[in-house]
Amino acid sequence: MTTTMPELDLDPFSDEVLRDPGDFHRAVLDAGPVVRVRQSEGFRLVAVGRYATVKAIIENPAMFLNSRGGGVLDLKYDESFREPGLLAENDPPAHTAIKSVMTSVIAPRNLRRMRDDFQTAADEIVDRLLDMRTFDAQIHFAEAYPLRVIPDAVMGVRQEGREHLLRYSKFLFESMGPRTPRAKRALAEMGDLEPTISWVRDSCRRENVQPGSFGALIWDAVDRGELTDAQAPNLVRSLVGAGIDTTIHSLANTLYLLITNPDQWALLREQPARGKFAFDETLRHTSTVRQIIRTPAEDTDIEGIPVTEGQKIMLLPGAANRDPDRWGETADRFDITRDAGGHMALGRGIHQCVGAPIARLEADALLSTFARRVKSVEFADTPRPMVNNFLRGFDTLPVTITPV
């Protein structure tokens, strides 16, 4: 039996929803397993928020494709704003070999080598924050740490021009959504992006990555015949694109939730080793990635509701991670003692974020160090949420801290 698709007169890319998607998520959860939403800029968008439905779609990569694009464009017909990613915009069997290489690069043995460097960086960052006392945590906490450890230890890119990293990530994630008037203004305000794109492209070349870095390990796979010369820079670029902004905004979201939930900050102070759990609970509670997009390979149905080949399916991890049918009556509560395992913020199955272990290692070092050495943290001014097509976070997060 087929069922008519419910509709919501809500644009998921409106400024109001991007600023605070909570009401939108609840409306999608209540409306049905798959919901037609307002067709932002003419795209054929439907939204899925229920945990079980999101999980079923993610775990069916043969029907719901990644290769048709991780954003609103359909790469079967539309010209992409950049070369499609070999990991994020690829399907089996080609994806399987690429994923195997990246899994071997980001292996536990390679992460263990980086732990000491990550801890040293966390100590240095917190030293600096304790000297400042009052600062914008978006810049000096959330941005400072990944920008300190990722370019050196993970990517091994050149020192010159690292300011391009944030510009590239902003360009990437704004471009994955529709060109709304706000997105057009945001991209226009970035000015000429060619120097940024050229810097990223050049940084991914073999001669420009440092020996021993993840970037170099990717190029080693070319020597073993596991990748081609053309594929290696695409994979190094995936570390640049996905490994910076998502971690930055997840760290900022974690600090925001700890300040607005003082009992959870007190608990983290008592048990600093819970830093990594606070980070994962944040990913569940306030998912940094707004949507994961899949495209049906052919006409099919989602729980009896027809969807058509090529229709863009917006999976909403922020809604799925608050679905009471999965998380119970306390789904909306931020609780760092919760078992947040199984949340959808980092995807799932064959397309689960391969860089997740790096982000968790970063968060563990920084949040645990911060909790051990900072007695109190409070807002110094009103935080300003970030409005962005694909990521949720802050533009500013002014705080004042008191040392232990």
Side-chain angles (χ1 to χ4, degrees), residues 29 33 47-64 66 292 294 302-303 313-321 323 325-327 341-352:
L29 281 172
V48 175
R50 295 180 181 178
Y51 182 91
T53 316
V54 170
K55 179 173 180 290
I57 292 173
I58 283 180
E59 293 180 347
N60 188 0
M63 174 58 73
F64 297 100
N66 275 45
I292 299 167
R294 296 289 187 268
I302 298 174
E303 299 187 23
I313 312 290
M314 298 177 58
L315 309 178
L316 304 174
N321 291 340
D323 184 349
D325 287 345
R326 168 62 178 83
W327 304 98
H343 67 68
M344 295 293 177
L346 300 173
R348 194 178 176 87
I350 66 169
H351 289 293
Q352 185 170 27

Side-chain angles (χ1 to χ4, degrees), residues 22 27 31 42 57 79 203 273 307 371 376 392 402:
I57 292 173
E79 183 178 354
S203 295
V307 292
S376 66
R392 188 177 179 189
T402 304

Side-chain angles (χ1 to χ4, degrees), residues 211-244:
S213 68
F214 283 173
L217 295 178
I218 289 172
W219 276 103
D220 288 347
V222 175
D223 298 335
R224 295 193 300 272
E226 298 170 0
L227 294 175
T228 67
D229 284 320
Q231 290 173 324
N234 186 299
L235 282 187
V236 178
R237 191 197 67 190
S238 70
L239 295 175
V240 180
I244 299 290

Side-chain angles (χ1 to χ4, degrees), residues 10-37:
L10 292 172
D11 182 347
F13 296 98
S14 68
D15 290 3
E16 181 182 12
V17 171
L18 293 180
R19 195 170 288 113
D20 183 358
D23 289 345
F24 172 64
H25 289 167
R26 281 185 285 275
V28 171
L29 281 172
D30 291 342
V34 56
V35 182
R36 186 184 307 281
V37 294

Side-chain angles (χ1 to χ4, degrees), residues 18 32 59 64 73 82 108 135 164 171 178 183 186 202 240 247 257 270 282 298 316 346 370 375 378 394 400:
L18 293 180
E59 293 180 347
F64 297 100
L73 297 178
R82 60 156 170 71
F135 51 88
H164 291 297
F171 155 72
D202 291 345
V240 180
T247 304
L257 287 171
E270 293 172 6
T282 297
E298 58 188 51
L316 304 174
L346 300 173
F370 190 77
K375 180 179 179 181
E378 59 188 18
F394 292 91
T400 296

Side-chain angles (χ1 to χ4, degrees), residues 333-368:
R333 183 186 305 165
F334 177 65
D335 179 359
I336 67 172
T337 67
R338 182 195 305 271
D339 178 3
H343 67 68
M344 295 293 177
L346 300 173
R348 194 178 176 87
I350 66 169
H351 289 293
Q352 185 170 27
C353 174
V354 294
I358 304 172
R360 289 189 169 108
L361 185 63
E362 292 176 71
D364 185 22
L366 181 61
L367 293 170
S368 296

Side-chain angles (χ1 to χ4, degrees), residues 74-370:
D74 185 346
L75 299 188
K76 184 175 180 180
Y77 304 105
D78 301 322
E79 183 178 354
S80 179
F81 60 93
R82 60 156 170 71
E83 180 188 6
L86 287 173
L87 272 176
E89 292 164 323
N90 204 351
D91 299 314
H95 174 271
T96 305
I98 301 295
K99 178 75 176 287
S100 176
V101 170
M102 283 299 275
T103 301
S104 68
V105 168
I106 309 176
R109 65 180 181 281
N110 294 328
L111 286 172
R112 282 194 292 272
R113 290 192 289 108
M114 296 178 173
R115 179 172 289 278
D116 288 346
D117 290 340
F118 280 25
Q119 184 58 56
T120 299
D123 290 334
E124 293 173 357
I125 295 287
V126 175
D127 280 345
R128 195 176 310 143
L129 299 180
L130 290 170
D131 288 339
M132 298 169 71
R133 299 290 182 94
T134 296
F135 51 88
D136 185 343
Q138 174 63 29
I139 297 172
H140 299 286
F141 175 86
E143 292 181 7
Y145 187 67
L147 288 176
R148 165 77 169 74
V149 300
I150 293 293
D152 285 337
V154 176
M155 293 151 51
V157 299
R158 299 167 292 169
Q159 292 286 338
E160 303 80 15
R162 290 186 176 190
E163 68 275 10
H164 291 297
L165 287 167
L166 289 180
R167 281 173 54 80
Y168 179 75
S169 291
K170 182 175 180 180
F171 155 72
L172 173 67
F173 288 110
E174 283 288 17
S175 299
M176 292 176 72
R179 294 292 178 100
T180 60
R182 183 209 58 76
K184 288 179 180 175
R185 285 195 305 273
L187 290 167
E189 289 168 359
M190 295 181 70
D192 183 8
L193 286 161
E194 185 51 38
T196 293
I197 295 170
S198 295
W199 184 87
V200 170
R201 184 169 55 241
D202 291 345
S203 295
C204 297
R205 292 176 178 162
R206 183 194 288 261
E207 61 270 25
N208 290 328
V209 299
Q210 296 297 313
S213 68
F214 283 173
L217 295 178
I218 289 172
W219 276 103
D220 288 347
V222 175
D223 298 335
R224 295 193 300 272
E226 298 170 0
L227 294 175
T228 67
D229 284 320
Q231 290 173 324
N234 186 299
L235 282 187
V236 178
R237 191 197 67 190
S238 70
L239 295 175
V240 180
I244 299 290
D245 266 36
T246 50
T247 304
I248 285 173
H249 294 298
S250 298
L251 287 171
N253 290 337
T254 304
L255 189 59
Y256 176 86
L257 287 171
L258 289 169
I259 296 173
T260 52
N261 294 271
D263 61 323
Q264 299 302 299
W265 166 250
L267 181 57
L268 183 60
R269 284 272 300 119
E270 293 172 6
Q271 303 175 39
R274 286 194 173 275
K276 55 190 173 187
F277 301 109
F279 185 70
D280 254 290
E281 170 64 352
T282 297
L283 292 174
R284 184 202 69 81
H285 184 278
T286 306
S287 301
T288 304
V289 173
R290 295 179 184 275
Q291 59 267 332
I292 299 167
I293 290 188
R294 296 289 187 268
T295 309
E298 58 188 51
D299 292 354
T300 184
D301 73 273
I302 298 174
E303 299 187 23
I305 299 177
V307 292
T308 58
E309 180 269 339
Q311 193 158 31
K312 284 293 178 177
I313 312 290
M314 298 177 58
L315 309 178
L316 304 174
N321 291 340
R322 300 279 197 100
D323 184 349
D325 287 345
R326 168 62 178 83
W327 304 98
E329 295 180 354
T330 64
D332 289 336
R333 183 186 305 165
F334 177 65
D335 179 359
I336 67 172
T337 67
R338 182 195 305 271
D339 178 3
H343 67 68
M344 295 293 177
L346 300 173
R348 194 178 176 87
I350 66 169
H351 289 293
Q352 185 170 27
C353 174
V354 294
I358 304 172
R360 289 189 169 108
L361 185 63
E362 292 176 71
D364 185 22
L366 181 61
L367 293 170
S368 296
T369 303
F370 190 77

